[in-house]
């Protein structure tokens, strides 16, 4: 049994099973007067610690090859599925040879993700570990955004219903919490988290003090606060992504001017991008260093900005799309965005070529919403929720690069049919697994922040 202390929050369970071994310049220059306040304060000294609670978790493992992983919101979590076996040379089992042997749960003759049998010969979607973190107040507590760094660790931002904001970092191998903190004060919206090398973590925040002011706050890998920037009132930071050099690119607005800003790893402003018309709600890096941004608005748009901060293109809007939630880019520089269309809503995925032209679109026949998307290397993984008569189920959908849905998984609470489940964000770990952040909750009751690492 493992335990750790989380101010104002209780981690309900930690489960792990053995796993094989991101055109007009507004004219503000670096060092401009519109930035106020810089701090090197240790955030954990600032964070409220009036209430502490312990974290306990027990793990059990059942050998099963089913595609769904059962979870429970009490102090025990059951994880189904065998740990797969990576490709080996010599006399041991070789994943991808078409023969199920050793600890392999499946072997379909390849090591491609998203075809039902994953790259590690585990059934696609099988959980390696998952974590639940709960607040004390009724209502859904959710991991809003996650970021996986080059070390495989997972940085998260979330909220405890109704107005407590939380951030932390989890070990990517075991799911153990490395550190977690409650943001001091109230009326702050934590919109996004960014990480890359593992040495710097950045949070995009709209703070309540001063009212409606944007804050970009950084931490080192141990959770010690580093440099930060605060913009004047009537501003917000809504998205953030880090480059391999730990430069920080953040999206947001100052009054009615919507743009991106780039800071180097020491917090020096390098450039401010052109006006984009709407606030960037998510960002993704391309291999050439350029950035694609998904904006809010009616209709929403996708904008490409070069690594030097220059406008490249704005994709023609699709009038039928209601909302873009998240986007990703593949190794060829193509962009993919997930969201939903219509009322009632249906999850939607849009693929864009390197010049912003539409390659293909996909709309779910079932009602639901799309919230997260990530490139798997050979394809895509999208996630969100699928609506039902009694409950909403978490949804994962694997796609090939031509837009064909090759595999999907619905994740429902096995014991409580009125619990709602939603996948809110998706990332890919350096060791080739998927990581999701989301929520399990019962209406009008306490809910759980939810983090899972799983086979692609």
């Amino acid at each position: 049994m493992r335990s750790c202390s989380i101010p104002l929050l209780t981690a309900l369970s930690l489960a792990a099973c053995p796993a094989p071994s991101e055109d007009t310049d507004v004219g503000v220059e670096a060092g401009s007067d519109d930035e106020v306040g810089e701090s090197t304060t240790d955030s954990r000294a600032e964070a409220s610690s009036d209430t502490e609670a312990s974290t306990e978790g027990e793990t059990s493992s059942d050998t099963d090859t089913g595609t769904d992983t059962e979870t429970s919101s009490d102090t025990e979590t059951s994880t189904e599925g065998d740990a797969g076996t990576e490709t080996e040379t010599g006399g041991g089992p070789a994943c991808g040879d078409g023969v199920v042997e050793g600890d392999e749960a499946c072997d379909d003759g390849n090591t491609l993700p998203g075809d039902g049998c994953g790259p590690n010969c585990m059934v696609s979607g099988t959980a390696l570990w998952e974590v639940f973190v709960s607040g004390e107040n009724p209502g859904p507590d959710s991991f809003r955004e996650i970021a996986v760094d080059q070390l495989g660790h997972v940085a998260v931002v979330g909220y405890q219903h109704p107005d407590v904001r939380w951030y932390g970092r989890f070990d990517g191998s075991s799911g153990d919490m490395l550190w977690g903190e409650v943001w001091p004060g109230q009326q702050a919206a934590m919109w996004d988290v960014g990480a890359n090398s593992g040495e710097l973590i950045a949070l995009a925040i709209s703070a309540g003090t001063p009212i409606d002011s944007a804050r970009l706050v950084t931490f080192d890998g141990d959770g010690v606060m580093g440099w930060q920037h605060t913009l004047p009132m009537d501003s917000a930071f809504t998205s953030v992504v880090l480059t391999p050099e730990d430069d920080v690119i953040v999206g947001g607005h100052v009054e009615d001017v919507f743009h991106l800003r780039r800071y180097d790893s020491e917090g020096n402003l390098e450039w401010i991008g052109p006006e984009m018309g709407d606030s960037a709600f998510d960002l993704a890096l391309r291999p050439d260093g350029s950035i694609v941004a998904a904006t809010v608005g009616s209709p929403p748009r996708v904008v490409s900005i070069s690594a030097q901060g220059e406008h490249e293109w704005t994709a023609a809007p699709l009038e039928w799309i209601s909302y873009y939630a998240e986007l990703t880019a593949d190794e060829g520089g193509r962009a993919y965005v997930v969201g939903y269309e219509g009322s009632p809503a249906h999850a939607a995925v849009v693929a864009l070529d390197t010049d912003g032209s539409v390659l293909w679109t996909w709309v779910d026949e079932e009602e639901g919403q799309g919230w997260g998307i990530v490139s798997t290397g050979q394809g895509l993984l999208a996630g969100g929720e699928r609506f039902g008569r009694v409950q909403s189920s978490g949804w994962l959908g694997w796609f090939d690069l031509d837009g064909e849905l090759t595999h999907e998984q619905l994740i429902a609470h096995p014991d409580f049919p009125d619990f709602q489940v939603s996948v809110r964000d998706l990332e890919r770990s350096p060791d080739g697994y998927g990581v999701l952040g989301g929520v399990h909750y019962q209406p009008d009751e306490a809910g759980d922040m939810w983090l899972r690492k799983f086979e692609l």
Side-chain angles (χ1 to χ4, degrees):
M1 176 122 9
R2 293 170 290 177
S3 65
C4 60
S5 178
I6 312 171
L8 299 181
L9 295 173
T10 302
L12 289 183
S13 58
L14 277 165
C17 63
S21 329
E22 136 178 19
D23 289 303
T24 302
D25 195 324
V26 296
V28 182
E29 301 294 332
S32 169
D33 292 337
D34 77 327
E35 297 175 2
V36 294
E38 201 164 311
S39 171
T40 57
T41 305
D42 187 335
S43 67
R44 292 193 278 181
E46 293 181 359
S48 171
S49 59
D50 294 338
T51 304
E52 295 189 353
S54 64
T55 303
E56 296 186 353
E58 298 183 3
T59 304
S60 63
S61 180
D62 300 324
T63 55
D64 186 13
T65 59
T67 59
D68 289 343
T69 299
E70 296 185 356
T71 60
S72 172
S73 64
D74 57 18
T75 56
E76 294 185 4
T77 299
S78 174
T79 304
E80 297 183 355
D82 292 322
T85 304
E86 294 185 353
T87 302
E88 300 178 3
T89 58
C95 181
D97 64 3
V99 180
V100 178
E101 53 186 337
D103 291 334
E104 294 177 345
C106 59
D107 195 323
D108 59 357
N110 65 65
T111 56
L112 299 176
D115 59 2
C117 183
N120 302 287
C121 283
M122 301 165 63
V123 175
S124 297
T126 299
L128 279 73
W129 54 255
E130 59 188 350
V131 178
F132 295 91
V133 181
S134 180
E136 299 177 349
N137 297 323
D141 305 320
S142 176
F143 285 129
R144 181 184 183 97
E145 298 287 343
I146 64 174
V148 178
D149 60 39
Q150 295 176 21
L151 303 176
H153 298 327
V154 188
V156 300
V157 291
Y159 57 85
Q160 175 195 358
H161 186 79
D163 55 13
V164 176
R165 302 300 181 252
W166 190 81
Y167 59 98
R169 192 182 193 209
F170 291 82
D171 186 285
S173 297
S174 64
D176 291 334
M177 183 185 297
L178 299 175
W179 51 267
E181 300 292 347
V182 170
W183 183 258
Q186 297 181 350
Q187 297 179 343
M190 287 189 172
W191 291 107
D192 204 2
V193 59
N196 199 312
S197 72
E199 298 181 0
L200 189 71
I201 298 168
L203 305 183
I205 303 173
S206 296
T209 306
I211 296 175
D212 296 330
S213 63
R215 294 188 70 178
L216 175 61
V217 184
T218 62
F219 302 85
D220 66 15
D222 295 322
V224 178
M225 185 181 288
W227 57 265
Q228 63 174 294
H229 289 283
T230 301
L231 300 187
M233 294 177 61
D234 196 16
S235 63
F237 284 140
T238 52
S239 55
V240 64
V241 67
L242 270 62
T243 71
E245 300 78 27
D246 278 340
D247 285 4
V248 180
I249 302 168
V250 61
H253 67 88
V254 178
E255 295 181 342
D256 294 328
V257 179
F258 300 87
H259 51 241
L260 305 185
R261 293 169 177 247
R262 181 169 182 150
Y263 299 87
D264 67 19
S265 60
E266 301 298 322
N268 301 304
L269 182 63
E270 295 187 336
W271 51 254
I272 294 178
E275 159 68 23
M276 297 194 303
D278 291 298
S279 189
F281 206 69
D282 195 44
L283 305 174
L285 283 178
R286 286 207 197 91
D288 65 358
S290 61
I291 308 103
V292 281
T295 71
V296 297
S298 183
R301 301 171 186 267
V302 176
V303 181
S304 178
I305 304 295
S306 73
Q308 293 73 40
E310 300 172 346
H311 179 267
E312 294 184 324
W313 50 258
T314 297
L318 300 176
E319 299 293 338
W320 51 272
I321 289 287
S322 303
Y323 183 77
Y324 283 152
E326 189 168 77
L327 81 170
T328 188
D330 66 16
E331 295 176 355
R334 293 171 290 271
Y336 306 88
V337 60
V338 68
Y340 53 85
E341 63 88 26
S343 180
H346 294 256
V349 178
V350 177
L352 301 174
D353 208 344
T354 55
D355 61 357
S357 60
V358 176
L359 294 171
W360 52 262
T361 63
W362 175 88
V363 178
D364 196 354
E365 295 180 355
E366 305 292 334
E367 294 180 16
Q369 295 176 329
W371 293 109
I373 193 167
V374 67
S375 171
T376 64
Q378 292 81 17
L380 300 168
L381 175 63
E385 55 192 312
R386 183 78 62 75
F387 299 153
R389 294 183 179 180
V390 177
Q391 66 176 17
S392 67
S393 299
W395 170 74
L396 294 174
W398 284 258
F399 296 82
D400 64 22
L401 293 179
D402 294 322
E404 180 182 353
L405 180 66
T406 60
H407 181 71
E408 65 179 354
Q409 180 187 30
L410 295 181
I411 307 171
H413 199 293
D415 300 321
F416 303 100
D418 56 346
F419 264 61
Q420 312 297 305
V421 181
S422 180
V423 176
R424 306 295 292 190
D425 197 11
L426 287 167
E427 292 282 343
R428 183 186 179 200
S429 64
D431 54 358
Y433 293 97
V435 182
L436 68 81
V439 57
H440 276 221
Y441 73 98
Q442 186 177 21
D444 302 321
E445 299 292 339
D448 304 323
M449 303 181 194
W450 173 40
L451 195 65
R452 171 187 284 191
K453 186 175 182 179
F454 59 94
E455 172 69 308
L456 288 174

